[in-house]
């Protein structure tokens, strides 16, 4: 950096250059600065528009509560808690962390199941959650009304921090390690060249930078837009009130979270702070965040909030008469799926983002800063980032109407009982396939994914497709069973248009793709290649199929969730001088999937193409005549049966669909949804990227080593790292398929796996194996000495579901059709 720096870390001259510029001095920006300097990157300059903490951070309630079912969430939170415990010793600045304990209440049988499941998962992730009785709850919290409580869940080590102090401690730590912080400096422009960020323009001058990090909280979206970067987040009103002092309220009362009453309680200067996560909330600042909003408050909407205040106060009845000292409303940013937006912006190289914290910025702030700093330094994410990576954001999610409508629902998610398959109810019907209305008539129950209305399952004629949520078999379980059976015995039709589809074309398409893909795509025209894309560490970035359509033309199909990520990865790895282009053709095709043992006979009635094994073998593709259309047909399956994916040019799809349904009557054709796709693929142990395996796993861990072609002449990204891992011998973790021996219980993922009484992992995914006759799950089994097949098959396994343990069979190979006979039939 070219500026002189005073001993306090504040520059005496305005700097014109820094290796990293961080925008925003809230908890997130300060944490990124602190962690970058910890990694030895001290040419770091943090710019704050006004004063540190003056955005959202200053008024947070500071709850540091760690349990959860997501490994990433727990990792971010527990790291932050430990950091806040120790920062004072390092910096001399207290974070105000006080481990007063944390108590969650379960007041209905379904909440009890949910909390027990969460407790099992949390304990496995190192959070010491204890189930406590109602009388213990009463002992800890004598002022609480306990008559409706079934159980409490207590974490002794959790507590509260002071958000301003914690942020100041991070800032101090960053300065002590050589970082620089500049207040009263507003970034008003982002400079870029050839798709790469080159610096920022501030209201005090220009600063060159190799890397820019946008930590501007609720301003981050507008700031991103200046650089053409999509950061879907929206501010919303967020409330707490503070009562006058109450007798019997002491500073060491544990925090209570009462999900059923959308509220939490903690002590505040002798009174109680009652915070709210109301199920229907109010977005704020839709016309832009006011420029002068500094240490700001929003005028509270008493009328909207009064019913929630009344319900909450019933938990601690004395609060009704205590008098309200302060009713506070401040803005916080929320994202369309409730996860933060972190990582390199897909649209602009070296421009990183950490924003949209969904009311968890203090709790996860330490962890987010650590993860992003490591990501910046290494260029590769250090943990599973499926839930937080900004490259999951879709362009339409930056639409203001979408954000306004969706944000009504996202604040309340934090306290909502999330049953398996819980759906967003807001901002629906955003993307519909060309045959959507036909599927609705056929009884589809739609769920939302990436804005698409996706058929999940089908109700029989005369029955309304509606979900009754529960932890057991939901009302559509038998319909799902019938769809699953139809695929195994007859034939099904599935609309999977939401898959992402890209064309890679040009003279260098083969060379470029062979560098990106771990499998070999230098194959004859018409061949489909299943492959992973790896990063330089040899862990996975994508899992998809690549079909060669011509010498210079490839067709890529991947899951809809990775649309932005896969495009980003492709573009990032096509050299500037290569003759290869990427075109998104997702909307160009309706993808109708026909699967099942009768699919050949059935489809042959509608096409003149020869669908025999000789002419159309497994993993091959052809454009075929199909009624009046010429869809691209891929003989491929994710269900584990004989079948074809028909990529039908969109405007032809209705007549193709109608012909399929009409002729299908003769073959018992059944519509099937994504629930069936899931149960079918789990039986066959087909992996799902970002659910079963993620960016921290190698193909070897995931049992996909046979799809890696180490000996390709020019190698591929990640080859050397993967070879090094391979040479080390047996992987320390391996993906295993499990089948519960008792047909009754259900698996949803995150259940803990025991081998001979010892925890060896947890399930990444679960579903019901209707053909195998019980719930099936997949998860990584870990062993420091390596996971051999001997290790797998010599153990006795049980799986813990909400505290009950169930014997289970484990297998390295798919339990359904292990030799691929049906697939190749
Ligand atoms: C009522 C309430 C209670 C909460 N309670 C909790 C809790 O108990 N636990 C918890 O974990 N979280 C809580 N939160 C959420 C938490 O406060 C936020 O997630 C967190 O503060 C977000 O931090 P940030 O750094 O992303 O944003 P901010 O704190 O808003 O920081 C962004 C900074 O960027 C600056 N900036 C913006 N634009 C520019 C620019 N162009 N140039 C330079 N600087 C710029 C702003 O001035 C601001 O200081 C609560 C939030 C609210 C509203």
């Amino acid at each position: 950096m070219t500026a002189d720096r005073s001993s306090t870390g504040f520059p005496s001259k305005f700097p014109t250059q820094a290796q990293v510029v961080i925008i925003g001095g809230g908890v997130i920006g300060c944490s990124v600065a602190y962690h970058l300097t910890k990694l030895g990157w001290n040419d770091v300059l943090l710019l704050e528009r006004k004063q540190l903490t003056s955005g959202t951070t200053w008024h947070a309630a500071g709850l540091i509560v760690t349990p959860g079912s997501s490994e990433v969430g727990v990792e971010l939170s527990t790291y932050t808690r430990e950091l806040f415990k120790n920062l004072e010793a390092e910096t001399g600045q207290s974070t105000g962390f006080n481990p007063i304990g944390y108590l969650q209440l379960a007041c209905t049988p379904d909440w009890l199941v949910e909390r027990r499941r969460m407790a099992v998962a949390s304990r496995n992730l190192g959070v010491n959650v204890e189930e406590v009785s109602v009388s213990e709850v009463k002992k800890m919290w004598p002022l609480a009304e306990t008559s409706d409580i079934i159980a409490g869940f207590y974490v002794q080590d959790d507590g509260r921090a002071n958000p301003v102090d914690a942020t100041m401690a991070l800032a101090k730590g960053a300065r002590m390690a050589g970082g620089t912080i500049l207040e009263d400096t507003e970034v008003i422009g982002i400079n870029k060249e050839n798709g790469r960020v080159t610096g920022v323009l501030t209201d005090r001058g220009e600063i060159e930078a190799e890397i820019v990090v946008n930590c501007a909280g609720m301003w981050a979206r507008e700031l991103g837009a200046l650089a053409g970067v999509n950061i879907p987040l929206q501010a919303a009103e967020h409330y707490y009130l503070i009562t006058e002092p109450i007798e019997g309220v002491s500073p060491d009362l544990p925090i209570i979270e009462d999900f059923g009453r959308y509220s939490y309680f903690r002590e505040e200067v002798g009174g109680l702070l009652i915070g709210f996560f109301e199920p229907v909330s109010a977005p704020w600042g839709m016309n832009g965040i006011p420029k002068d909003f500094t240490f700001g408050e929003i005028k509270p909407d008493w009328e909207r909030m009064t019913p929630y205040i009344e319900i909450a106060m019933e938990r601690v009845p004395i609060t009704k008469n205590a008098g309200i000292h302060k009713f506070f409303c401040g803005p916080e940013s929320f994202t369309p799926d409730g996860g933060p937006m972190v990582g390199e912006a897909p649209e602009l190289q070296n421009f990183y983002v950490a924003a949209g914290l969904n009311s968890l910025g203090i709790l996860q702030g330490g962890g987010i800063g650590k993860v992003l700093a490591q990501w910046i330094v290494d260029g590769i994410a250090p943990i599973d980032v499926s839930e937080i990576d900004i490259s999951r954001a879709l362009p339409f999610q930056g639409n203001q109407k979408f954000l306004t409508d969706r944000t009504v629902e996202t604040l309340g998610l934090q306290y909502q009982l999330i049953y398996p398959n819980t759906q967003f109810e807001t901002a629906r019907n955003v993307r519909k396939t060309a045959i959507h209305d036909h599927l609705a008539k056929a009884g589809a129950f739609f769920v939302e994914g990436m804005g698409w209305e996706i058929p999940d399952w089908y109700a029989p004629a005369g029955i309304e497709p509606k979900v009754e949520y529960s932890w057991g078999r939901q009302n559509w379980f038998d319909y799902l069973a019938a769809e699953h059976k139809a695929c195994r015995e007859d034939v099904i039709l599935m609309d999977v248009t939401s898959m992402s589809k890209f064309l890679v074309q040009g003279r260098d398409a083969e060379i470029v793709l062979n560098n990106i893909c771990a499998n070999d795509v230098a194959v004859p025209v018409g061949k489909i290649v299943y492959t992973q894309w790896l990063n330089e560490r040899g862990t996975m970035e994508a899992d998809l199929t690549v079909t060669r359509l011509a010498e210079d033309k490839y067709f890529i199909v991947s899951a809809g969730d990775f649309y932005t990520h896969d495009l980003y990865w492709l573009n990032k790895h096509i050299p500037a001088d290569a003759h290869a282009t990427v075109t998104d053709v997702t909307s160009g095709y309706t993808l109708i999937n026909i699967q099942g043992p009768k699919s050949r006979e059935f489809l042959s009635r509608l096409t003149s193409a020869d669908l025999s094994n000789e002419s159309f073998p497994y993993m091959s593709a052809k454009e075929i005549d199909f009624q009046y259309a010429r869809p691209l047909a891929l003989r491929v399956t994710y269900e584990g049966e004989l079948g074809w994916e028909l990529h039908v040019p969109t405007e032809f799809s209705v007549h193709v669909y109608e012909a399929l349904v009409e002729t299908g009557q003769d073959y018992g054709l059944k519509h099937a949804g994504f629930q069936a796709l899931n149960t079918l693929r789990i039986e066959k142990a087909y992996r799902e990227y970002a659910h079963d395996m993620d960016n921290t796993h190698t193909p070897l861990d995931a049992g996909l080593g046979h799809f890696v072609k180490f000996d390709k002449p020019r190698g591929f990204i990640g080859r050397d790292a993967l070879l090094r891992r391979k040479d080390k011998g047996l992987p320390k973790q391996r993906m295993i398929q499990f089948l519960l021996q008792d047909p009754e219980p259900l698996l949803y993922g995150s259940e803990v796996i025991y081998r001979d009484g010892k925890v060896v992992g947890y399930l990444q995914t679960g579903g019901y194996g209707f053909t195998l006759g019980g719930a099936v799950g997949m998860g990584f089994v870990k062993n420091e000495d390596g996971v051999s097949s001997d290790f797998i098959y010599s153990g006795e396994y049980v799986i813990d579901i909400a505290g009950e343990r169930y014997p289970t069979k484990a297998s390295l190979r798919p339990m359904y059709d292990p030799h691929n006979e049906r697939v190749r039939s």
Side-chain angles (χ1 to χ4, degrees):
M1 177 165 336
T2 54
D4 297 333
R5 198 181 296 118
S6 68
S7 57
T8 57
F10 290 94
S12 49
K13 263 202 274 173
F14 187 74
T16 56
Q17 199 185 324
Q19 185 183 8
V20 184
V21 164
I22 297 168
I23 310 167
V27 66
I28 301 298
C30 292
S31 178
V32 174
Y34 170 84
H35 286 94
L36 276 171
T37 57
K38 280 265 139 212
L39 292 171
W41 280 31
N42 44 27
D43 188 4
V44 169
L45 173 63
L46 185 150
L47 304 176
E48 164 56 43
R49 183 184 65 105
K50 300 287 183 190
Q51 280 164 263
L52 295 186
T53 76
S54 63
T56 296
T57 296
W58 70 279
H59 54 59
L63 269 48
I64 304 295
V65 293
T66 56
S69 301
S70 143
E71 181 169 351
V72 173
V74 170
E75 198 173 332
L76 296 173
S77 312
T78 47
Y79 172 79
T80 306
R81 186 184 67 190
E82 297 312 300
L83 178 70
F84 287 0
K85 264 188 208 166
N86 301 322
L87 260 184
E88 184 172 1
E90 183 189 329
T91 63
Q93 162 72 52
S94 162
T95 61
F97 180 71
N98 187 357
I100 50 180
Y102 166 52
L103 190 55
Q104 299 173 326
L105 307 180
C107 300
T108 65
D110 279 4
W111 265 113
L112 185 65
V113 173
E114 197 279 340
R115 288 294 99 184
R116 282 187 172 156
R117 289 178 59 88
M118 178 280 307
V120 171
S122 297
R123 281 194 287 269
N124 178 46
L125 298 169
V127 176
N128 192 13
V129 187
E130 231 182 295
E131 183 170 334
V132 294
S133 67
V134 182
S135 56
E136 284 169 291
V137 171
K138 190 77 189 169
K139 218 154 80 195
M140 287 187 223
W141 249 89
L143 294 175
E145 169 58 51
T146 53
S147 58
D148 61 333
I149 299 175
I150 304 177
F153 291 83
Y154 179 61
V155 186
Q156 194 178 3
D157 309 330
D158 284 352
R160 57 190 276 196
N162 179 326
V164 172
D165 290 349
T167 306
M168 292 305 181
L170 290 164
K172 192 169 176 199
R175 284 197 299 261
M176 284 164 64
T180 306
I181 291 174
L182 213 54
E183 294 185 310
D184 293 316
T185 308
E186 182 176 353
V187 173
I188 53 175
I190 309 291
N191 296 335
K192 53 181 181 174
E193 221 176 278
N194 298 328
R196 177 182 285 261
V197 76
T198 55
V200 295
L201 178 63
T202 77
D203 55 357
R204 299 172 61 193
E206 221 159 18
I207 305 172
E208 277 178 33
E210 269 172 45
I211 289 166
V212 173
V213 193
N214 178 354
C215 302
M218 61 187 161
W219 290 268
R221 175 157 63 107
E222 294 168 30
L223 200 60
L226 292 180
V229 169
N230 176 35
I231 308 173
L233 57 82
Q234 173 62 50
E237 296 176 3
H238 196 16
Y239 286 88
Y240 54 70
L241 65 78
I242 299 170
T243 69
E244 296 293 351
I246 296 173
E247 209 182 310
V249 169
S250 67
D252 56 359
L253 270 181
I255 294 159
I256 285 192
E257 275 191 317
D258 187 356
F259 306 106
R261 294 173 191 276
Y262 321 117
S263 52
Y264 61 87
F265 297 76
R266 71 157 173 77
E267 185 272 347
E268 181 75 20
V269 284
L272 284 174
L273 181 150
I274 311 176
F276 302 92
F277 282 94
E278 67 277 13
V280 181
S281 62
W284 179 83
M286 279 79 81
N287 298 322
I289 306 300
K291 281 268 169 237
D292 55 353
F293 197 82
T294 303
F295 294 111
E297 294 186 31
I298 303 172
K299 191 165 169 280
D301 182 345
W302 277 96
E303 203 179 319
R304 186 171 78 75
M305 291 304 292
T306 298
Y308 301 116
I309 297 172
E310 285 173 0
I311 306 175
M313 285 183 162
E314 281 165 17
R315 174 61 61 213
V316 187
I318 197 170
T319 54
K320 291 186 203 167
N321 305 318
I324 294 178
H325 167 71
K326 171 93 186 154
F327 188 35
F328 180 85
C329 178
E332 163 65 341
S333 315
F334 293 88
T335 60
D337 63 0
M341 295 288 163
V342 184
E344 189 180 31
E347 301 90 342
L348 185 59
Q349 273 188 42
N350 284 3
F351 186 78
Y352 286 82
V353 179
L357 269 298
N358 298 282
S359 79
L360 302 177
I362 311 302
L363 171 63
Q364 299 191 339
I368 293 278
K370 177 172 187 260
V371 166
L372 188 60
Q374 196 71 58
W375 198 340
I376 291 169
V377 169
D378 296 345
I380 300 175
I383 61 166
D384 167 18
V385 289
S386 326
E387 296 168 21
I388 66 173
D389 191 345
I390 189 168
S391 77
R392 75 191 188 285
L394 291 156
F396 85 89
Q397 292 175 329
N399 171 297
Q400 183 60 61
K401 178 170 167 49
F402 174 78
L403 283 170
T404 304
D405 290 356
R406 174 53 59 82
T407 303
V408 167
E409 195 178 1
T410 34
L411 179 139
L413 280 184
Q414 299 289 351
Y415 278 27
Q416 193 185 330
L417 206 177
I418 309 286
Y419 288 103
N421 201 33
T422 295
Q423 286 303 305
F424 284 110
E425 287 172 9
T426 55
R428 293 294 301 264
N429 295 319
V430 174
R431 301 169 85 185
K432 289 179 175 181
T433 73
I435 56 172
H436 171 277
D437 293 357
H438 289 73
L439 303 183
K441 275 195 205 125
F445 173 77
F446 292 99
V447 294
E448 189 259 9
M450 299 78 65
W452 290 100
E453 290 297 317
I454 294 176
D456 205 35
W457 48 267
Y458 289 80
I463 293 184
E464 189 192 354
K466 202 171 160 221
V467 171
E468 289 156 28
Y469 288 117
S470 78
W471 285 106
R473 284 159 168 70
Q474 296 183 5
N475 59 316
W476 43 271
F477 190 79
D478 291 343
Y479 316 149
L480 169 63
E483 291 170 27
H484 187 110
K485 185 164 182 275
C487 185
R488 295 281 182 246
E489 294 175 6
D490 300 318
V491 60
I492 55 141
L493 178 155
M494 210 179 258
D495 179 4
V496 287
T497 304
S498 56
M499 302 286 284
S500 306
K501 307 160 206 102
F502 308 113
L503 283 176
V504 177
Q505 301 178 84
R507 282 191 306 277
D508 297 329
E510 180 190 301
I511 293 180
V512 162
L513 279 177
N514 242 350
N515 184 42
I516 296 174
C517 299
N519 206 339
D520 191 359
V521 299
V523 290
V525 170
K527 179 104 185 75
I528 304 171
V529 178
Y530 169 54
T531 187
Q532 287 72 46
W533 293 350
L534 310 184
N535 53 41
E536 294 291 356
R537 195 174 280 158
T539 58
M540 290 181 278
E541 292 285 341
D543 174 78
L544 39 75
T545 61
V546 178
T547 302
R548 187 162 209 166
L549 299 182
E551 280 306 311
D552 57 355
K553 189 174 180 183
Y554 287 88
F555 185 58
I556 295 177
V557 181
S558 77
D561 310 64
F562 310 113
Y563 169 87
T564 309
H565 178 78
D566 294 348
L567 258 184
Y568 155 69
W569 196 258
L570 273 172
N571 284 317
K572 189 171 167 144
H573 293 97
I574 297 183
D577 58 353
H579 188 261
T581 59
V582 183
T583 314
D584 162 31
V585 292
T586 303
S587 303
Y589 296 99
T590 299
L591 178 40
I592 303 178
N593 194 9
I594 303 294
Q595 298 284 331
K598 293 186 181 161
S599 57
R600 176 180 290 123
E601 197 190 334
F602 160 48
L603 291 176
S604 295
R605 287 260 305 272
L606 295 162
T607 177
S608 53
D610 180 355
L611 302 182
S612 67
N613 251 338
E614 298 66 42
S615 167
F616 212 140
Y618 176 55
M619 294 304 270
S620 66
K622 269 183 211 169
E623 211 170 79
I624 59 171
D625 277 354
F626 202 92
Q627 299 297 287
Y628 302 116
R630 283 194 61 82
L632 175 65
L634 269 62
R635 184 169 165 199
V636 68
T637 183
Y638 194 46
E639 293 78 3
E641 298 298 335
L642 171 70
W644 279 263
E645 281 183 356
L646 301 177
H647 293 259
V648 188
T650 303
E651 69 274 29
F652 292 88
S653 42
V654 170
H655 93 256
V656 167
Y657 168 83
E658 286 170 347
L660 283 164
V661 170
E662 196 184 320
T663 307
Q665 289 173 9
D666 299 344
Y667 298 88
L669 177 76
K670 210 168 169 41
H671 286 79
F674 270 54
Q675 286 293 339
L677 183 69
N678 194 45
T679 57
L680 290 158
R681 69 101 193 163
I682 286 180
E683 272 190 338
K684 186 72 175 80
Y686 284 149
R687 279 60 165 149
E688 186 176 358
Y689 186 68
H691 293 122
D692 315 347
M693 56 190 192
D694 57 59
N695 58 292
T696 62
H697 299 116
T698 69
L700 308 176
D701 303 331
L704 301 172
H706 45 294
F707 298 105
V708 178
K709 293 290 172 293
F710 285 104
D711 53 358
K712 280 195 290 183
R714 291 164 185 258
F716 55 89
I717 301 169
R719 173 184 175 272
D720 296 348
L722 195 61
L723 261 184
R724 283 195 295 276
R725 293 205 183 201
K726 192 167 181 243
D727 291 346
K728 280 189 187 155
L730 283 172
K732 292 189 187 328
Q733 54 178 344
R734 264 171 107 176
M735 173 142 283
I736 306 299
Q737 189 190 34
F738 294 94
L739 170 67
L740 292 188
Q741 302 301 284
D742 177 349
E744 194 52 32
L746 301 179
L747 294 169
Y748 298 113
S750 85
E751 296 87 356
V752 172
I753 308 161
Y754 288 83
R755 177 187 177 276
D756 294 340
K758 204 176 135 214
V759 175
V760 286
Y762 67 90
L763 294 183
Q764 306 283 128
T765 191
Y768 202 81
F770 293 96
T771 320
L772 293 176
V776 181
M778 289 197 283
F780 286 96
V781 164
K782 299 185 181 177
N783 182 32
E784 262 315 298
D785 299 330
V787 182
S788 62
S789 60
D790 234 31
F791 179 83
I792 293 303
Y793 294 113
S794 61
E796 296 276 324
Y797 295 86
V798 293
I799 287 182
D800 186 327
I801 306 175
E804 301 280 324
R805 296 193 185 172
Y806 297 90
T808 176
K809 190 176 146 193
S811 178
L812 269 165
R813 306 203 62 164
M815 292 186 216
Y816 180 74
D817 191 22
H819 303 294
N820 273 344
E821 281 154 14
R822 297 181 68 88
V823 168
R824 294 175 191 281
S825 61

